[in-house]
Amino acid sequence: MAVIPKKLTALDVVHDAPVIPVIVLHELRHAVPLARALVAGGIRMLEVTLRTPVALDCVRAMVQEVPEAVAGVGTVRTGAEAEAAQRAGAAFAVSPGFTLGLARTCAELGLPWLPGVATASEILAAQEAGLSALKFFPAMQAGGVGLLKAWQGPFPEVVFCPTGGVQPDNAPSLLALGNVACVGGSWLVPTQALEDRDWARITALAREACALRPKNTVKTG
Ligand code: 3PG
């Protein structure tokens, strides 16, 4: 695997592996073994969503205990959340949408940021903010492969991480597109596997996810 750059960019985040796991953790004790299990399967860019009270503690634990992983935060909706995430050690942030305020804050923090977009106008706004790696959310609900193909014409320099409704069966058709760097999905970290502390299952899911696209052939534009 390539060395993780010291000065990480959003492009580094989306080009590292075919899948970014969307992680919801309710228990701090799951954070470190989960990160180790995902890394063992070849996935090291980890999106820990800010949807539970322990999320930032989980990020802190991953950063301290699993240096091979790159812990980021998801569901970032305000600048204050981005700041708190960075203080906890998060190396990148992912948001469900795009706002100028978040763009400013993440730029000031030097925090690589993947904002969510679902329309051409939002892509234009993100481009105005200097961003060219974007989350497409909610991908399958908003138009999936067809919408991504339609964006290839006007936005050839933008790469996307479609997230929302992505599963192993529809991921290959997304990953085959020239403007898809990776996909995001929660299927890599099933709630039941966490409850069962079935780390081997999560490593197996990560390995399968890496095999969805054996070699990253995406052009960065
Ligand atoms: C989310 O925000 O929950 C992500 O989009 C994950 O969606 P998924 O559960 O459909 O993978």
Side-chain angles (χ1 to χ4, degrees), residues 140 164-175 183-188 212:
M140 301 316 286
V166 181
Q167 292 288 330
D169 60 343
N170 58 17
S173 59
L174 294 162
L175 290 165
V183 298
S186 60
W187 86 85
L188 282 184
L212 285 170

Side-chain angles (χ1 to χ4, degrees), residues 88-113:
F92 64 91
V94 184
S95 297
F98 174 89
T99 72
L100 273 178
L102 265 170
R104 266 190 225 111
T105 302
C106 290
E108 280 164 18
L109 294 171
L111 184 64
W113 181 46

Side-chain angles (χ1 to χ4, degrees), residues 32-58:
V32 168
L34 170 68
R36 289 194 179 124
L38 288 165
V39 168
I43 303 277
R44 55 188 183 174
M45 298 291 161
L46 314 183
E47 178 188 336
V48 180
T49 58
L50 293 182
R51 298 183 198 175
T52 63
V54 293
L56 288 180
D57 285 336
C58 289

